[in-house]
Amino acid sequence: MTWFRLEMPPQSCILRPSGGQQLTRKGFHEIRGIAWSGGGKIVKVEVTVDGGKTWKNAMVQGPVYSKSHTRFIFPWTWNGEETIIASRCTDDRGSTQPTSAEAAKVRGLDMETFKTEVVQRNNIAQPWKIDSDGRITNALFTI
């Protein structure tokens, strides 16, 4: 008998704050999420709070096991301005979760084609848009 096999590439997502939630105040917040890889252990998680312009290391919370969910946390002070946040991770084989622009480029596609044809089985970073009123919505394909 043959079993179907599909190795999941590195993937992460921010769980808090995320879509449907609301930031009720400016100031300190903890960005929290999970990361995983079908190829090994998560060794690094990075977070952007400026729409992908810069990425900073988050704290990976142990224990960290191969091919399992790994928690991360990132301290952040929100100034009340509109922004886009996202996470990306790297596993112990050196594979890093791509942004949508990076994934489209690797596949040789323009962003419009990528948006319509390559949404499923994709490990691109999941960005969240935070409006100036604190409302959080999906910002897929913005970074």
Side-chain angles (χ1 to χ4, degrees):
M1 180 185 329
T2 302
W3 289 86
F4 175 75
R5 291 184 184 205
L6 174 67
E7 182 181 296
M8 293 184 114
Q11 195 162 358
S12 68
C13 63
I14 292 173
L15 301 175
R16 185 157 192 80
S18 63
Q21 297 174 358
Q22 174 103 23
L23 296 181
T24 57
R25 60 176 168 70
K26 296 178 189 178
F28 180 78
H29 295 271
E30 288 183 339
I31 295 175
R32 295 178 171 268
I34 57 172
W36 62 95
S37 174
K41 290 182 181 181
I42 295 298
V43 295
K44 179 169 71 169
V45 177
E46 298 168 288
V47 171
T48 181
V49 294
D50 59 11
K53 293 175 190 162
T54 61
W55 294 86
K56 296 181 181 171
N57 288 333
M59 181 176 63
V60 174
Q61 296 181 300
V64 178
Y65 298 111
S66 182
K67 301 175 187 173
S68 67
H69 287 126
T70 302
R71 295 174 187 256
F72 67 88
I73 188 168
F74 182 81
W76 173 53
T77 302
W78 181 49
N79 62 9
E81 294 177 7
E82 182 177 294
T83 192
I84 294 176
I85 64 172
S87 63
R88 67 180 178 193
C89 63
T90 302
D91 66 18
D92 59 1
R93 296 190 311 183
S95 297
T96 299
Q97 179 182 9
T99 63
S100 55
E102 291 166 343
K105 184 177 179 181
V106 166
R107 290 172 174 86
L109 301 172
D110 61 70
M111 278 304 293
E112 289 308 310
T113 304
F114 182 79
K115 287 178 187 179
T116 58
E117 294 182 8
V118 192
V119 175
Q120 296 177 350
R121 291 164 106 203
N122 207 334
N123 69 322
I124 60 174
Q126 166 62 62
W128 299 110
K129 178 181 178 186
I130 302 175
D131 292 332
S132 58
D133 66 357
R135 190 172 62 104
I136 303 166
T137 57
N138 187 338
L140 195 57
F141 306 120
T142 58
I143 61 169

